[in-house]
Amino acid sequence: RLFLILWLDLDLRIVVFVSGVVILHISNAAAAHYFYYAPDPSSQSVCTIGGNIAFNSGGAHCLKYGMTSNHILALKVVLADGTVTSFGSDSHSGIVDGPDLIGMFVGSEWLFGIALEITVKLLPIPERFRTVLAAYSSLEAAGNAVSAVVSSGLLPGAMVIMDALAIKAAETSVNAGYPQNAAALLIVELDGEQQQVEAEFELLKRIISESGAEEIRTAETDEERMLIWKGRKSAFSAVGRISPDYLVQDGVVPRRYLGKALAEIEQLSKQYNIPVANVFHAGDGNLHPLILYDGRIAGALEKAEELAGEILKVCIKMGGSITGEHGVCMEKRSYMPDMYSEDDMNAMQRIRQA
């Protein structure tokens, strides 16, 4: 499928391609030259850059490397009236005069137009990785550990958390070797130059040790590191092995409230008597609760959707957002007025009309 990639310039560290390119294929095309494309949503082996642009996808490494919008340099798009236009810069810096049209277009769910050609920047593959997996007796403890890591001044490449249900699903699917009795797992990955990573690794080990982790593992080989991430990246699809149906929710809370938010989600799960598997990017507070239900039971879907809405209200209450990277679409439109003022809503409508 590399014919979808139009131009690869390693001197400029950019690649130009069409919307249908699968995310992982971008990195594969540049890997032989020791470059890669940083955003890595869990579905990167099947999702396309077009979808990632529509929803400003992030992935596990968004804490350090940002979202899709941080890596798009230029776009050629067709607007709603059929006009084909281009904006952005072919420069790796991405600096352009005038308004940030890319920043507005990326994440607009195709309401402003459809991207035809995309120019993204490539990054050098990090020299060294250090990946730590820590098991905790509660989700709240794992969430508090994230706050401790961030407040220490460390900037990990990735931080994610999985709860007991997500751990069970991943183990059923790929046998990642996760601790089976853990209530939550925290995966933290450092990357960068060898000397810097090793120095940061010593600090990270101390923070994790002091955070109340019941078990700590460090990936000693690339194979062990990839298996840890394989378990995490398979979690969404793997939940289908333990539940007939499930809803994927997507909300954001400030990192300092992660522990509190997770405790409230656990309480809501008990209140509704509906299992919730939590998988999320701990680095930016992007929650992805998977709400398990059986669609063959009358009213089960509606009850699950009600619970999903209550989780969004928790996010709003804590100063977060109703979406991190999955968009608003039809599902969340009714929650927009809970998050935005009437003036905000009118401004969005005027921008769309313009």
Side-chain angles (χ1 to χ4, degrees):
R1 301 181 183 178
L2 294 182
F3 69 90
L4 297 174
I5 295 177
L6 306 177
W7 180 35
L8 177 64
D9 190 320
L10 297 173
D11 291 327
L12 294 177
R13 297 184 183 180
I14 64 173
V15 58
V16 183
F17 44 84
V18 300
S19 289
V21 169
V22 173
I23 295 299
L24 191 58
H25 293 173
I26 304 171
S27 289
N28 289 344
H33 307 281
Y34 304 101
F35 290 101
Y36 78 115
Y37 176 67
D40 63 334
S42 296
S43 56
Q44 67 181 151
S45 63
V46 293
C47 66
T48 65
I49 187 66
N52 282 207
I53 288 173
F55 297 103
N56 196 20
S57 303
H61 288 78
C62 63
L63 170 63
K64 183 174 182 178
Y65 295 103
M67 310 288 279
T68 297
S69 59
N70 300 109
H71 298 267
I72 304 297
L73 298 174
L75 290 171
K76 179 180 179 181
V77 305
V78 57
L79 303 179
D81 64 357
T83 302
V84 176
T85 187
S86 298
F87 44 83
S89 167
D90 289 337
S91 166
H92 196 273
S93 69
I95 297 175
V96 295
D97 293 330
D100 180 13
L101 296 177
I102 289 178
M104 185 167 68
F105 190 91
V106 177
S108 66
E109 303 183 28
W110 292 143
L111 294 180
F112 296 156
I114 298 173
L116 302 176
E117 296 179 8
I118 302 99
T119 303
V120 306
K121 61 183 177 182
L122 301 174
L123 298 181
I125 294 175
E127 180 182 10
R128 181 70 165 134
F129 294 94
R130 278 293 199 174
T131 307
V132 176
L133 183 151
Y136 292 87
S137 59
S138 72
L139 268 176
E140 188 169 7
N144 292 336
V146 170
S147 298
V149 171
V150 174
S151 62
S152 73
L154 287 174
L155 183 59
M159 282 198 295
V160 300
I161 290 178
M162 301 169 61
D163 72 359
L165 270 177
I167 295 167
K168 177 183 176 182
E171 282 300 299
T172 302
S173 177
V174 300
N175 297 313
Y178 292 156
Q180 291 295 288
N181 58 348
L185 290 182
L186 170 63
I187 302 171
V188 185
E189 182 166 276
L190 303 170
D191 62 22
E193 296 182 355
Q194 172 91 18
Q195 186 174 0
Q196 176 186 349
V197 169
E198 292 302 334
E200 293 178 343
F201 180 55
E202 294 305 315
L203 174 58
L204 176 63
K205 286 194 296 184
R206 186 171 79 247
I207 294 169
I208 296 297
S209 296
E210 294 172 354
S211 68
E214 296 188 328
E215 183 178 345
I216 302 172
R217 299 180 188 176
T218 301
E220 300 297 339
T221 65
D222 285 343
E223 289 73 19
E224 290 180 5
R225 172 179 170 261
M226 295 309 295
L227 187 58
I228 287 174
W229 283 116
K230 185 177 182 180
R232 162 61 185 90
K233 292 189 179 231
S234 70
F236 273 34
S237 58
V239 167
R241 292 174 176 262
I242 62 174
S243 177
D245 303 284
Y246 63 93
L247 294 178
V248 181
Q249 192 50 283
D250 166 57
V252 181
V253 296
R255 281 192 303 261
R256 64 185 181 277
Y257 294 139
L258 267 178
K260 184 178 178 182
L262 292 170
E264 290 206 27
I265 291 173
E266 281 190 295
Q267 184 59 41
L268 285 169
S269 174
K270 293 176 183 176
Q271 177 183 327
Y272 278 82
N273 194 29
I274 298 176
V276 178
N278 287 284
V279 184
F280 56 94
H281 313 151
D284 65 343
N286 190 182
L287 309 173
H288 292 316
L290 309 179
I291 301 166
L292 283 55
Y293 71 99
D294 187 342
R296 296 169 295 187
I297 300 174
L301 171 59
E302 290 74 18
K303 189 177 179 182
E305 288 178 330
E306 184 180 336
L307 172 54
E310 291 300 316
I311 292 174
L312 290 181
K313 291 176 183 177
V314 168
C315 294
I316 296 170
K317 179 181 68 176
M318 294 184 178
S321 169
I322 60 174
T323 181
E325 58 176 347
H326 292 185
V328 175
C329 305
M330 299 289 288
E331 179 187 14
K332 300 177 183 177
R333 286 197 307 177
S334 61
Y335 298 99
M336 292 281 283
D338 294 332
M339 183 174 171
Y340 296 105
S341 70
E342 184 176 352
D343 286 344
D344 292 333
M345 298 286 285
N346 289 336
M348 293 181 201
Q349 185 64 25
R350 290 199 303 274
I351 290 171
R352 183 182 176 189
Q353 289 171 345

